[in-house]
């Protein structure tokens, strides 16, 4: 039946083709017309799905804290003026972007964005609620941009965090058990935030938009919050793991000439994610795996005197720096058991490390030094 249908369609196209056009040209024209119609419908569906998610977000906030949403509506008029203001102005990051971006060896790399320290202060400051109470405007059904796709989940999660802060201070009553009843909304909001961050990290702009920095701040605060992190990590753990793998791939495959500015921002986000106790173990395993595989490939290329990927070699140092920073943090936190950190990848990494360092130390002294420093941290008393 399928063959007969295809044959009938072919005859219909041949008989209906206009004069001066071949059957192939007319077929390609019809295929293009149909695909454009499909694209239009897909776009409309995506816009409507985004609007449905926004409405579900508002409904979830109402269920968690009706009083918060009532106060939110009262501030609609003042919110219009606030929406145009920047909420975060990372001076240290903007000044860094004026540099060539080649200096990636700063020990304070993970704090240069000001994300961890600035947001930690605002976490306990009730006076910041005026900004967080901004009402998210309805989605423009005629136009959706990358900025809007990232701004929508950021605003929702900001408001959720502010409810959490106000309830913690006894100012507001909130029922966070509603998050269990509506896992769809929280999962899709976090997924939308991660997808938005991935888009901007794949195509970075300089200077970095303020909402990108704000999005990272919201993500880190969400997974570090004692009450909200259980809901987020339990329901979005797989998506966050994929996000970490994507960031590592972005670092490794970037080949632009002046790429270190963009990669520095990505490495900071990975470092901040690794500060979470739940996410740290899997991130260490991922980094150990990538560094080990590259070390083995470099050793093989060195032994047979073949060419190796110099860009990959340069980018791998960022992963080594992140890995060393995470392991150092572990050794400093003596109250946390680290016996399982790295797991199987730790064993694989240490198994043939001595031979790799021995053969590569003359030709690649800096990389060998990084491998040795990581091995020392893995073998330290705190990591066993």
């Amino acid at each position: 039946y399928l063959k007969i249908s295809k044959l009938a369609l072919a005859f219909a196209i041949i008989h209906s083709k206009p004069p001066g056009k071949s059957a192939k040209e007319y077929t390609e024209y019809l295929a293009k017309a149909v695909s454009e119609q499909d694209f239009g419908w897909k776009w409309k569906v995506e816009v409507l799905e985004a609007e449905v998610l926004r409405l579900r977000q508002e409904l979830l906030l109402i269920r968690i804290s009706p009083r918060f949403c009532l106060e939110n509506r009262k501030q609609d008029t003042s919110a219009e003026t606030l929406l145009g203001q920047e909420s975060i102005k990372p001076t240290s990051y903007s000044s860094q972007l004026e540099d060539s971006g080649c200096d990636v060896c700063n020990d304070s790399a993970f704090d240069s964005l000001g994300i961890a320290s600035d947001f930690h202060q605002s976490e306990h400051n009730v006076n910041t609620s005026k900004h967080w109470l901004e009402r998210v405007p309805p989605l423009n059904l005629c136009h959706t941009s990358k900025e809007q796709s990232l701004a929508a989940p950021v605003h929702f999660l900001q408001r959720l965090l502010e409810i959490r802060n106000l309830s913690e201070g006894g100012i507001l009553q909130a029922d966070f058990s509603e998050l269990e009843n509506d896992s769809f909304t929280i999962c899709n909001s976090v997924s939308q935030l991660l997808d938005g961050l991935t888009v901007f990290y794949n195509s970075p702009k300089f200077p970095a938009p303020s909402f990108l920095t704000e999005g990272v701040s919201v993500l880190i605060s969400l997974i570090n919050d004692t009450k909200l992190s259980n809901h987020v990590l339990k329901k979005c753990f797989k998506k966050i793991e994929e996000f970490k793998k994507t960031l590592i791939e972005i670092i490794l495959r970037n080949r632009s000439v002046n790429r270190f500015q963009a990669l520095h921002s990505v490495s900071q986000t990975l470092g901040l994610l690794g500060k979470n106790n739940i996410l740290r173990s899997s991130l260490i395993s991922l980094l150990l795996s990538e560094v080990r595989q590259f070390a083995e490939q470099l050793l093989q290329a060195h032994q047979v005197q073949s060419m190796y990927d110099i860009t990959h070699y340069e980018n791998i140092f960022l992963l080594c720096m992140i890995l060393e920073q995470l392991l150092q943090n572990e050794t400093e936190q003596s109250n946390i058991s680290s016996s399982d950190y790295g797991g199987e990848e730790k064993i694989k990494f240490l198994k043939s490390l001595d031979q790799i360092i021995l053969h590569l130390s003359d030709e690649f002294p800096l990389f060998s030094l990084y491998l040795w420093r990581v091995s020392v941290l893995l073998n330290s008393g705190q990591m066993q």
Side-chain angles (χ1 to χ4, degrees):
Y1 177 79
L2 183 60
K3 291 181 179 180
I4 294 175
S5 299
K6 289 181 177 180
L7 187 61
L9 178 61
F11 274 113
I13 292 174
I14 293 173
H15 284 296
S16 62
K17 70 178 183 67
K21 270 192 177 183
S22 66
K24 181 181 179 181
E25 291 174 342
Y26 188 54
T27 303
E28 292 175 348
Y29 165 77
L30 293 176
K32 183 179 179 181
V34 172
S35 63
E36 288 176 351
Q37 291 179 356
D38 289 342
F39 177 79
W41 281 109
K42 288 179 181 178
W43 178 82
K44 291 179 182 178
V45 169
E46 289 175 357
V47 171
L48 292 175
E49 285 177 345
E51 178 67 4
V52 169
L53 179 59
R54 186 189 68 83
L55 294 174
R56 294 191 65 152
Q57 289 171 344
E58 291 193 357
L59 180 61
L60 179 58
L61 292 176
I62 292 174
R63 289 176 177 173
I64 293 175
S65 180
R67 179 188 163 191
F68 175 86
C69 295
L70 179 62
E71 294 295 328
N72 192 27
R73 291 192 181 94
K74 290 180 181 179
Q75 298 193 18
D76 280 351
T77 54
S78 61
E80 292 178 359
T81 58
L82 290 171
L83 282 172
Q85 300 176 0
E86 291 185 358
S87 59
I88 298 178
K89 297 181 180 179
T91 55
S92 60
Y93 185 50
S94 60
S95 62
Q96 176 199 349
L97 292 177
E98 297 173 0
D99 185 70
S100 64
C102 295
D103 182 11
V104 294
C105 299
N106 190 352
D107 291 335
S108 61
F110 298 106
D111 294 326
S112 62
L113 262 178
I115 293 175
S117 58
D118 294 346
F119 199 83
H120 179 72
Q121 294 176 359
S122 66
E123 221 172 13
H124 302 286
N125 189 356
V126 178
N127 293 330
T128 59
S129 61
K130 186 175 181 180
H131 163 70
W132 295 63
L133 288 170
E134 294 174 1
R135 181 175 183 271
V136 181
L139 187 67
N140 185 355
L141 296 180
C142 298
H143 174 71
T144 57
S145 65
K146 295 178 181 179
E147 289 81 359
Q148 285 177 323
S149 65
L150 183 57
V154 166
H155 277 289
F156 165 69
L157 296 172
Q158 279 180 334
R159 295 161 72 189
L160 189 62
L161 283 165
E162 182 61 14
I163 293 177
R164 169 76 174 95
N165 295 335
L166 294 175
S167 64
E168 185 73 12
I171 301 175
L172 196 68
Q173 290 185 350
D175 180 15
F176 288 97
S177 63
E178 289 293 335
L179 293 176
E180 294 286 351
N181 302 327
D182 191 2
S183 60
F184 172 85
T185 300
I186 188 70
C187 285
N188 277 265
S189 300
V190 174
S191 296
Q192 197 177 53
L193 172 60
L194 297 177
D195 291 340
L197 291 175
T198 301
V199 169
F200 281 98
Y201 281 138
N202 272 313
S203 303
K205 296 179 181 179
F206 299 103
S210 60
F211 55 81
L212 178 61
T213 308
E214 194 170 357
V216 176
S217 300
V218 169
L219 176 63
I220 300 304
S221 299
L222 196 65
I223 65 176
N224 288 333
D225 188 275
T226 55
K227 184 171 288 187
L228 297 178
S229 62
N230 292 332
H231 299 282
V232 174
L233 293 177
K234 182 170 63 175
K235 297 162 185 173
C236 310
F237 183 78
K238 184 177 180 181
K239 182 70 177 181
I240 296 176
E241 289 296 296
E242 293 175 356
F243 179 64
K244 291 190 297 184
K245 293 178 182 179
T246 301
L247 294 185
I248 292 175
E249 291 175 1
I250 290 174
I251 291 177
L252 292 177
R253 71 168 181 256
N254 195 311
R255 294 181 173 274
S256 60
V257 175
N258 194 17
R259 61 188 177 276
F260 294 107
Q261 288 177 321
L263 296 186
H264 182 71
S265 178
V266 179
S267 65
Q268 285 176 329
T269 302
L270 274 174
L272 291 170
L273 289 172
K275 291 185 177 181
N276 181 272
N277 295 334
I278 299 177
L279 301 178
R280 187 183 299 117
S281 178
S282 60
L283 180 55
I284 289 176
S285 294
L286 287 172
L287 294 173
L288 284 173
S289 176
E290 291 293 342
V291 174
R292 175 184 59 81
Q293 290 179 35
F294 177 77
E296 292 174 351
Q297 293 170 5
L298 187 62
L299 175 61
Q300 183 179 6
H302 177 66
Q303 289 175 337
V304 299
Q305 297 297 309
S306 64
M307 298 295 294
Y308 65 93
D309 192 337
I310 184 63
T311 304
H312 196 173
Y313 176 77
E314 293 173 346
N315 293 343
I316 202 69
F317 281 98
L318 277 174
L319 299 190
C320 292
M321 292 169 59
I322 300 169
L323 180 57
E324 183 180 10
Q325 183 71 35
L326 295 179
L327 294 177
Q328 284 178 344
N329 292 340
E330 271 309 301
T331 59
E332 294 169 0
Q333 298 178 12
S334 57
N335 59 324
I336 299 177
S337 174
S338 307
S339 58
D340 294 332
Y341 279 33
E344 184 180 350
E345 284 301 330
K346 174 184 173 182
I347 298 173
K348 290 181 180 179
F349 184 87
L350 295 174
K351 185 176 180 180
S352 57
L353 186 63
D354 291 340
Q355 290 297 321
I356 293 176
I357 293 177
L358 179 64
H359 288 88
L360 295 181
S361 57
D362 291 337
E363 190 73 21
F364 307 98
L366 183 58
F367 181 61
S368 300
L369 177 61
Y370 265 105
L371 293 179
W372 176 78
R373 288 165 63 171
V374 169
S375 67
V376 169
L377 289 170
L378 286 172
N379 285 316
S380 65
Q382 293 291 343
M383 293 301 296
Q384 292 181 358

